[in-house]
Amino acid sequence: MTKSSLNSVHLHALPRRQDYRRAREFALRARGADTIAAERITPTAIRTKLDARGIVRYVLVEGDAIFPLKVGLNTLGRFLDNDIVLGEGHISRRHCALVVHAGSGCELHDLASKNGTLLNGQRLTRPTWLVSGDQIRLCDRHFTFLTEDDAEQGIDSSEDSRTLCD
């Protein structure tokens, strides 16, 4: 395993640990060779809408905060070694991951979180490609997934057709 924030020692119950490890391996394999080669070590940083222009291709927006997504795996959860740290107790320590592909596109993976990940109001049951304007909910936290262009313009794109990952 190449990313320390994805270890599973925090899960003591065997079935949960196995579910998490399966989800983690699926997310890691989804990256592909080009994405793995393009991954950067620098962590995701919180930015405000005032200074986020021109930095990345995809972002998560929550209120006035913008979370830039780097190429490769971006993890969200309570543990401090996640790319986006969310302190609420109902959010899993390793809740979900967004895979930003080197070519184009981004997909959302739930990492066997206890309370689940919602995409546009529906519980995520398998990895799903994201389109600009998608709403991601982790317990009481609400994020909007945007492309850089939409984030700069402050517009949500109309919903496009999406393909589920196999």
Side-chain angles (χ1 to χ4, degrees):
M1 181 177 50
T2 60
K3 189 165 174 62
S4 65
S5 66
L6 291 174
N7 71 46
S8 59
V9 297
H10 65 286
L11 295 169
H12 302 291
L14 187 58
R16 288 260 343 234
R17 183 181 297 155
Q18 290 171 333
D19 290 346
Y20 171 78
R21 287 180 177 171
R22 243 187 321 274
R24 174 189 66 196
E25 291 308 312
F26 196 80
L28 287 170
R29 282 193 308 267
R31 296 176 301 164
D34 290 342
T35 300
I36 291 170
E39 281 182 326
R40 299 203 188 339
I41 297 173
T42 56
T44 302
I46 298 174
R47 303 200 185 275
T48 65
K49 289 183 181 179
L50 297 175
D51 67 358
R53 296 180 61 202
I55 296 170
V56 292
R57 295 184 326 207
Y58 305 108
V59 297
L60 288 181
V61 177
E62 182 186 38
D64 285 336
I66 292 183
F67 300 89
L69 301 173
K70 66 185 184 306
V71 171
L73 199 64
N74 297 268
T75 58
L76 288 80
R78 265 191 356 253
F79 271 172
L80 296 178
D81 58 0
N82 284 296
D83 297 299
I84 299 174
V85 178
L86 308 169
E88 289 77 9
H90 289 78
I91 292 177
S92 294
R93 291 173 270 201
R94 314 246 185 255
H95 201 98
C96 68
L98 290 116
V99 178
V100 175
H101 294 280
S104 67
C106 183
E107 53 186 292
L108 177 63
H109 294 253
D110 182 77
L111 296 177
S113 63
K114 190 169 185 176
N115 291 315
T117 302
L118 299 180
L119 177 61
N120 298 321
Q122 301 294 314
R123 188 175 179 113
L124 195 66
T125 58
R126 57 195 290 189
T128 304
W129 290 97
L130 297 174
V131 295
S132 193
D134 277 345
Q135 300 296 309
I136 300 168
R137 182 173 167 204
L138 300 116
C139 299
D140 293 332
R141 302 289 296 264
H142 300 266
F143 300 92
T144 302
F145 172 80
L146 294 173
T147 64
E148 179 185 26
D149 292 339
D150 288 342
E152 287 177 6
Q153 296 172 9
I155 328 172
D156 293 344
S157 292
S158 61
E159 188 163 332
D160 297 329
S161 62
R162 73 180 77 249
T163 308
L164 292 176
C165 305
D166 292 324

